[in-house]
Amino acid sequence: MNDIDAWVWWLVGAAALGIPLVVTAMPEFGMLAVGAVAAAVTAGFGLGTVVQVIVFLAVSVALIAVVRPIAARHSRQSPRLATGIEALKGRQAVVLERVDGSGGRIKLAGEIWSARALDTDRVYEAGAEVDVVDIEGATAVVM
């Protein structure tokens, strides 16, 4: 195998590593594919097989060691944009009908919601502003 063929084989290897990346969604295969591309570039410059393998290993290990922990940290973070019911928690609402531990009505985000007080002994009269602490079914829990 001459040096011209070596870079082609490295690119074939990179493409082969791209297939399980797409099928399994494991980013490690992509990092190995990038290492193979780096080795193909090394082969293109006419450097020997030992140097190509060292470049492949160095780039692949460096990517796995650096990028993988960053990706894992980002995947554990919760989304910053709250939608649906989660977006209503923490918002303020206006009491339309007296709210106590057993029920009432509030206006929340332009809609009328049934509500109940978090503290069952607490009463909120019409016109009072309350904070939504939770949503249980179709009922807002307020304080």
Side-chain angles (χ1 to χ4, degrees), residues 8-125:
V8 173
W9 285 111
W10 281 111
L11 289 180
V12 169
L17 287 166
I19 293 169
L21 167 67
V22 173
V23 173
T24 65
M26 290 180 61
E28 291 83 0
F29 285 112
M31 295 172 204
L32 292 172
V34 171
V37 170
V41 170
T42 304
F45 284 125
L47 298 172
T49 305
V50 173
V51 175
Q52 295 168 29
V53 171
I54 290 171
V55 167
F56 168 73
L57 291 173
V59 170
S60 299
V61 168
L63 285 172
I64 289 172
V66 173
V67 175
R68 191 167 181 246
I70 294 170
R73 187 172 37 244
H74 284 287
S75 70
R76 285 191 299 263
Q77 291 179 348
S78 61
R80 296 175 191 249
L81 177 63
T83 59
I85 291 173
E86 292 301 317
L88 298 175
K89 293 179 183 177
R91 296 205 39 194
Q92 284 195 331
V94 176
V95 176
L96 298 177
E97 296 174 11
R98 180 182 172 174
V99 175
D100 56 24
S102 61
R105 296 249 182 248
I106 61 170
K107 187 167 189 174
L108 172 62
E111 298 178 344
I112 298 175
W113 282 72
S114 60
R116 70 171 178 78
L118 178 64
D119 181 2
T120 56
D121 297 332
R122 190 77 196 254
V123 176
Y124 302 98
E125 297 298 334

